[in-house]
């Protein structure tokens, strides 16, 4: 039975220049619904939300990047939706929402941004900022990009801290009645805009006032208000403690490397990955088993490549996202900000352009209702590259390639990785892994070891334990298992693999 989602429980872990990023040509039968843990379209087929965040909640209240590119310059890079942020006061304070884009920028001394918008989007300058927001929504809809409207904050500005008075119901800038009024207005405004598929009630609830009783009370009221005003949208709920703490309820968990301090930099990557994933599953991932959709609405890394903490975290989150086949929203589309924390033109180091190819396998679903008639099978995913193990021929070594071209593997109770009539075998240190037909020896058994559960180990003829690895040509070999414990400088990325369920 297809149930429309009125309360959508969701996990989130949390640009190019600006617009080089969005749409794919897949046509989705809207509106969206849920079926157990999956999001599906009006025909019951799974829709995987592969989104990018587009900030529009800072002081200007205008979508970032309109001074750099025309609003309709959208290039296909595999994202099918945008998580489009907005500040509450945009919808509830007419003295803010009805000032023009030009006036908003003038009040902040952003003359250079005004000049840029005059060149790239001149028709927006004299529009009220609330109408400029609507123009961007319409443009995304015209390009078949789905939209999640995310109430990110109340008072426009950078988010988030425990001391910004925007964190929880009853804070200086977070009047729950005003919040419900704003949700109702936005839901009403976009009722009939089919590509607005969801509304996220509030980003990263936090601060000293947070408590479960008020969370229950007001989240229910907010969900009911949105559903009453616009029953076609999914309603997304956020959890407590910056969307990291679910307890028995929690909803939106953002997962970044910095969510766990310097753990990735200071600890062994296998142990850190195992510990943090266990914690995430305990706090929120359990919802999958209870039949709820679980989404990462914020995640990403410093794209400059110099942040060790981020670099090590990325392979872990890639493995989890593939194994659980999560929907997600990457931070972020924008390459810089008009004004952020008092700095004009601040660069965004988390802009997404650095690893689009790597995450492409995560942009399409591995499984779910209505995708194909293929029998449930396995693919062997390599998080460090975003590729899967492929068999070209029996005469060529196994290699990494597009997961869309993966063979249909099975993984037996005897820990054998099988293709029809063949099994994966270890042949020696530094040697290519091979396919064989005699599968009852130890070199045909593959166990997921290490705290991360991403090392696939076997034993060669002399009893030595080896792990799957990748050489410089992306061929699959076996080597001594690395980085299993203690060493915090070791990078196990080449030896991390995930056995992923697939029906595609």
């Amino acid at each position: 039975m297809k149930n429309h989602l009125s309360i959508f429980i969701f996990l989130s872990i949390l640009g190019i220049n600006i617009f080089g990023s969005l749409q794919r040509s897949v046509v989705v039968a809207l509106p969206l619904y849920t079926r157990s843990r999956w999001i599906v379209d009006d025909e019951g087929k799974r829709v995987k939300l592969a989104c990018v965040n587009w900030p529009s909640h800072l002081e200007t209240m205008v979508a970032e990047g309109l001074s750099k590119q025309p609003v309709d310059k959208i290039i296909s890079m595999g994202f099918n939706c945008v998580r489009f942020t907005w500040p509450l006061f945009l919808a509830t304070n007419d003295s803010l929402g009805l000032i023009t884009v030009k006036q908003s920028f003038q009040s902040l001394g952003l003359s250079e941004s005004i000049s840029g918008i005059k060149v790239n989007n001149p028709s927006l300058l004299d529009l009220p900022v609330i109408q400029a927001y609507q123009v961007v929504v319409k443009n995304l809809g015209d390009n078949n990009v789905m939209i999640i409207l995310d109430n990110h904050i109340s008072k426009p500005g950078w988010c988030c801290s425990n001391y910004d008075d925007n964190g929880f119901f009853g804070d200086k800038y977070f009047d729950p009645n005003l919040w419900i009024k704003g949700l109702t207005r936005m839901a009403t405004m976009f009722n009939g805009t089919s590509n607005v598929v969801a509304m996220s009630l509030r980003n990263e609830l936090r601060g000293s006032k947070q408590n479960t009783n008020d969370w229950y009370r007001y989240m229910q009221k907010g969900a009911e208000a949105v559903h009453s005003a616009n029953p076609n949208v999914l309603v997304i709920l956020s959890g407590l403690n910056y969307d990291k703490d679910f307890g028995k309820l929690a909803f939106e968990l953002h997962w970044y490397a910095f969510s766990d301090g310097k753990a990735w930099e200071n600890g062994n990557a296998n142990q850190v990955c195992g510990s943090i994933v266990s914690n995430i599953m305990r706090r929120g991932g359990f919802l999958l088993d209870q039949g709820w959709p679980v989404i990462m609405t914020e995640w990403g890394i410093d794209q400059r490549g110099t942040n060790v903490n981020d670099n090590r975290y990325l392979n872990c989150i890639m493995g989890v996202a593939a194994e659980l086949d999560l929907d997600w929203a990457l931070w972020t589309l924008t390459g810089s900000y008009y004004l952020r924390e008092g700095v004009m033109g601040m660069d965004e180091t988390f802009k997404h352009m650095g690893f689009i190819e790597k995450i492409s396998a995560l942009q399409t679903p591995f499984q779910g209702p209505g995708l194909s008639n293929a029998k449930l099978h396995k693919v062997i995913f390599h998080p460090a590259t975003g590729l899967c193990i492929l068999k070209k021929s029996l005469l060529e070594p196994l290699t990494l390639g597009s997961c869309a071209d993966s063979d249909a593997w099975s993984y037996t109770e005897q820990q054998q990785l099988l293709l029809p009539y063949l099994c994966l075998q270890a042949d020696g240190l530094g040697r290519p892994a091979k396919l064989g037909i005699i599968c009852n020896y130890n070199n045909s058994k593959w166990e997921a070891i290490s705290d991360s559960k991403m090392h696939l180990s076997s034993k060669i003829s002399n009893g030595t334990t080896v792990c799957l690895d990748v050489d410089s040509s992306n061929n699959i070999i076996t080597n001594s298992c690395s980085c299993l414990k203690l060493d915090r400088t070791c990078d196990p990325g080449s030896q991390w693999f995930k056995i992923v369920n697939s029906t595609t």
Side-chain angles (χ1 to χ4, degrees), residues 437-457:
I437 57 173
I438 301 175
C439 305
N440 56 350
Y441 293 109
N442 285 336
N443 73 331
S444 298
K445 295 181 180 179
W446 297 92
E447 179 185 2
I449 63 169
S450 79
D451 290 338
S452 69
K453 300 299 181 184
M454 284 199 279
H455 281 83
L456 293 178
S457 71

Side-chain angles (χ1 to χ4, degrees), residues 234-486:
L234 305 180
V235 179
I236 298 170
L237 304 185
S238 164
L240 303 174
N241 192 25
Y242 290 88
D243 300 343
K244 294 191 302 178
D245 188 0
F246 282 86
K248 293 183 178 179
L249 304 167
F251 300 95
E252 186 177 358
L253 173 65
H254 297 168
W255 185 14
Y256 293 102
F258 59 73
S259 300
D260 300 286
K262 292 289 185 180
W264 296 97
E265 183 175 345
N266 297 331
N268 172 269
N270 272 298
Q271 293 173 319
V272 172
C273 182
S275 174
I276 290 175
V277 170
S278 177
N279 196 32
I280 287 170
M281 295 306 293
R282 178 178 61 83
R283 289 181 170 182
F286 67 89
L287 293 169
L288 290 170
D289 294 331
Q290 294 185 3
W292 294 98
V294 176
I295 305 176
M296 298 188 300
T297 50
E298 285 188 30
W299 67 289
I301 63 168
D302 185 333
Q303 293 292 329
R304 293 172 295 183
T306 57
N307 189 314
V308 174
N309 214 43
D310 280 14
N311 295 342
R312 292 178 177 170
Y313 136 99
L314 179 60
N315 290 336
C316 182
I317 193 174
M318 290 277 292
V320 172
E323 182 180 33
L324 300 179
D325 200 6
L326 296 174
D327 302 74
W328 47 265
L330 184 69
W331 192 273
T332 175
L333 175 64
T334 185
S336 63
Y337 297 93
Y338 307 122
L339 180 70
R340 173 178 158 182
E341 298 171 292
V343 178
M344 295 182 185
M346 179 187 286
D347 284 339
E348 172 54 82
T349 61
F350 276 58
K351 54 183 175 285
H352 71 263
M353 65 179 294
F355 63 156
I356 291 298
E357 185 176 351
K358 180 171 179 174
I359 66 173
S360 62
L362 303 181
Q363 292 178 318
T364 55
F366 288 104
Q367 57 179 318
L371 292 180
S372 74
N373 294 320
K375 183 179 178 181
L376 181 66
H377 58 273
K378 311 288 185 181
V379 299
I380 307 172
F381 180 71
H382 188 244
T385 59
L387 302 173
C388 289
I389 294 181
L390 306 183
K391 173 182 69 70
K392 291 185 175 179
S393 74
L394 290 178
L395 299 178
E396 296 179 273
L398 293 163
T399 189
L400 292 177
S402 170
C403 292
D405 299 326
S406 175
D407 303 275
W409 296 84
S410 60
Y411 187 52
T412 70
E413 292 182 357
Q414 293 75 36
Q415 298 178 318
Q416 298 165 327
L417 282 164
L418 304 178
L419 293 175
Y421 311 110
L422 299 168
C423 58
L424 182 65
Q425 297 178 334
D427 196 36
L429 284 171
R431 292 181 58 81
K434 64 181 185 180
L435 294 171
I437 57 173
I438 301 175
C439 305
N440 56 350
Y441 293 109
N442 285 336
N443 73 331
S444 298
K445 295 181 180 179
W446 297 92
E447 179 185 2
I449 63 169
S450 79
D451 290 338
S452 69
K453 300 299 181 184
M454 284 199 279
H455 281 83
L456 293 178
S457 71
S458 187
K459 292 186 182 295
I460 55 178
S461 57
N462 64 5
T464 300
T465 297
V466 295
C467 281
L468 279 187
D469 206 340
V470 180
D471 69 14
S472 58
S473 299
N474 272 355
N475 293 321
I476 306 303
I477 60 174
T478 53
N479 274 324
S480 297
C481 302
S482 63
C483 314
L484 296 186
K485 58 183 179 179
L486 300 180

Side-chain angles (χ1 to χ4, degrees), residues 83-156:
R83 182 176 180 249
F84 195 25
T85 70
W86 59 280
L88 180 63
F89 293 173
L90 174 69
T92 60
N93 186 333
D94 286 346
S95 65
L96 292 177
L98 295 183
I99 64 172
T100 67
V101 171
K102 185 175 182 179
Q103 290 169 336
S104 177
F105 281 80
Q106 285 176 331
S107 69
L108 297 165
L110 300 174
S111 56
E112 185 174 338
S113 294
I114 293 173
S115 298
I117 293 175
K118 188 174 183 178
V119 170
N120 291 293
N121 294 285
S123 64
L124 297 181
L125 271 180
D126 294 321
L127 289 181
V129 289
I130 188 69
Q131 289 186 24
Y133 190 93
Q134 293 172 274
V135 167
V136 176
V137 168
K138 183 179 185 304
N139 180 265
L140 292 170
D142 289 345
N143 286 277
N144 294 319
V145 177
M146 293 178 289
I147 303 155
I148 299 170
L149 302 180
D150 169 63
N151 177 221
H152 212 71
I153 201 166
S154 293
K155 182 183 179 183

Side-chain angles (χ1 to χ4, degrees), residues 159-297:
C159 182
C160 301
S161 84
N162 280 327
Y163 311 105
D164 60 9
D165 293 321
N166 282 271
F168 198 73
F169 306 108
D171 279 353
K172 181 178 180 181
Y173 301 119
F174 199 170
D175 179 334
N177 294 320
L178 188 67
W179 171 70
I180 290 171
K181 177 182 176 182
L183 290 175
T184 301
R185 183 175 181 187
M186 292 294 279
T188 302
M189 183 181 301
F190 295 105
N191 191 348
T193 305
S194 61
N195 283 69
V196 174
V197 297
M199 286 186 63
S200 178
L201 299 189
R202 186 71 173 197
N203 179 70
E204 296 188 356
L205 293 165
R206 61 196 178 277
S208 60
K209 292 184 178 180
Q210 61 184 331
N211 64 87
T212 55
N213 288 337
D214 282 346
W215 184 93
Y216 270 116
R217 181 193 318 163
Y218 293 122
M219 281 299 192
Q220 180 177 346
K221 288 184 177 181
E224 289 173 349
V226 168
H227 187 67
S228 177
N230 188 346
N232 286 322
V233 294
L234 305 180
V235 179
I236 298 170
L237 304 185
S238 164
L240 303 174
N241 192 25
Y242 290 88
D243 300 343
K244 294 191 302 178
D245 188 0
F246 282 86
K248 293 183 178 179
L249 304 167
F251 300 95
E252 186 177 358
L253 173 65
H254 297 168
W255 185 14
Y256 293 102
F258 59 73
S259 300
D260 300 286
K262 292 289 185 180
W264 296 97
E265 183 175 345
N266 297 331
N268 172 269
N270 272 298
Q271 293 173 319
V272 172
C273 182
S275 174
I276 290 175
V277 170
S278 177
N279 196 32
I280 287 170
M281 295 306 293
R282 178 178 61 83
R283 289 181 170 182
F286 67 89
L287 293 169
L288 290 170
D289 294 331
Q290 294 185 3
W292 294 98
V294 176
I295 305 176
M296 298 188 300
T297 50

Side-chain angles (χ1 to χ4, degrees), residues 21-35:
S21 68
L22 303 173
Q23 96 203 36
R24 62 175 62 175
S25 59
V26 175
V27 176
V28 176
L30 300 172
L32 301 183
Y33 302 85
T34 62
R35 176 176 290 176

